[in-house]
């Protein structure tokens, strides 16, 4: 199954891959914005084999929880080149069957966190809204009923974005969300810089 080049905005649910065994799944070049629920992979006792989550921008979800300890050991669970802007996150994990690296985290609450060698955190003060120069034009609005900040605008990378040229050309993904070619040092997230 390949889920690619999708945009989901103001989703009143969660991005969740955890309740059933999953094999041979690729999620690439997706923009998921303002999800009321969490993004989670493998938080239930199931097995994920040959699952790739790469070049996605997940912005303003309630949390980013990936692979809790004590779950079955995966075989080829790859999380690379993603841009995560969540309220809480577990970060990159290490272990057999896991390939987590080259992800960018811009988080705005306290979080349990570990980071691989080439991943970066761009909002260590956890400000909300973020002050990081990531995107071309992003506005934030406080939503009292939800008790959170919602974002809207242009999620293309700004000229000075730390997500630019952060990746490696090692996954065979030669395009972005808009089918713009990715170069030999691809940008992290769903958009390749212009």
């Amino acid at each position: 199954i390949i889920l690619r080049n999708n945009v989901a905005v103001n989703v009143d649910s969660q991005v969740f891959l955890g309740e059933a065994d999953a094999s041979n799944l690729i999620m690439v070049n997706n923009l998921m914005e303002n999800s009321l629920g969490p993004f989670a992979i493998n938080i239930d006792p199931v097995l994920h084999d040959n699952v790739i989550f790469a070049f996605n921008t997940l912005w303003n979800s309630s949390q980013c929880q990936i692979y809790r300890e004590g779950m079955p050991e995966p075989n080829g669970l790859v999380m690379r080149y993603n841009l995560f802007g969540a309220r809480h996150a577990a970060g990159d994990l290490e272990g057999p069957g896991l390939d987590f690296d080259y992800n960018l985290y811009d988080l705005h609450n306290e979080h349990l966190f570990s980071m691989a060698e080439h991943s970066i955190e761009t909002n260590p003060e956890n400000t909300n809204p973020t002050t990081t120069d990531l995107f071309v034009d992003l506005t934030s609005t406080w939503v009292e009923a939800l008790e959170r900040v919602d974002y809207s605008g242009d999620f293309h990378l700004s000229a000075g974005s730390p997500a630019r040229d952060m990746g490696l050309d090692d996954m065979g993904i030669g395009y972005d969300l808009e089918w713009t070619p990715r170069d030999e040092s691809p940008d992290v997230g769903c958009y390749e810089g212009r």
Side-chain angles (χ1 to χ4, degrees):
I1 298 172
I2 299 174
L3 302 172
R4 68 177 186 193
N5 297 63
N6 297 287
V7 176
V9 179
N10 296 324
V11 179
D12 189 15
S13 63
Q14 54 191 339
V15 180
F16 190 66
L17 179 62
E19 295 182 330
D21 291 353
S23 296
N24 305 317
L25 173 66
I26 298 173
M27 297 176 70
V28 63
N29 291 333
N30 298 290
L31 171 62
M32 292 164 270
E33 171 193 352
N34 294 331
S35 172
L36 292 178
F39 167 76
I41 286 185
N42 218 19
I43 66 170
D44 288 322
V46 296
L47 186 62
H48 292 132
D49 288 338
N50 301 317
V51 174
I52 297 173
F53 191 83
F55 293 109
N56 298 288
T57 299
L58 178 71
W59 194 258
N60 205 32
S61 65
S62 64
Q63 61 181 309
C64 178
Q65 176 69 52
I66 303 168
Y67 198 76
R68 286 186 181 162
E69 292 181 20
M71 296 299 104
E73 186 176 299
N75 178 23
L77 176 54
V78 178
M79 301 283 295
R80 282 181 163 240
Y81 313 124
N82 299 293
L83 197 160
F84 294 113
R87 292 188 282 286
H88 302 278
D92 296 322
L93 300 176
E94 296 180 359
L98 299 174
D99 182 1
F100 288 47
D101 207 351
Y102 294 93
N103 296 301
L104 186 150
Y105 295 91
D106 194 282
L107 308 174
H108 51 262
N109 266 338
E110 293 181 17
H111 48 274
L112 300 172
F113 202 78
S114 60
M115 209 161 19
E117 180 181 358
H118 303 100
S119 291
I120 62 172
E121 182 180 11
T122 56
N123 188 10
E125 294 82 25
N126 305 124
T127 58
N128 186 16
T130 183
T131 56
T132 307
D133 179 24
L134 288 170
F135 305 111
V136 168
D137 180 29
L138 202 60
T139 54
S140 59
T141 306
W142 176 255
V143 181
E144 189 65 40
L146 300 175
E147 296 184 357
R148 74 172 198 182
V149 173
D150 272 2
Y151 292 84
S152 60
D154 189 343
F155 282 85
H156 288 88
L157 299 177
S158 67
S161 177
R164 286 193 178 244
D165 297 333
M166 190 179 147
L168 301 175
D169 184 18
D170 63 351
M171 295 196 70
I173 308 297
Y175 53 87
D176 74 355
L177 175 64
E178 298 174 320
W179 302 101
T180 301
R182 291 191 181 271
D183 61 28
E184 63 277 356
S185 296
D187 300 337
V188 165
C190 64
Y191 292 117
E192 182 73 8
R194 297 177 180 164

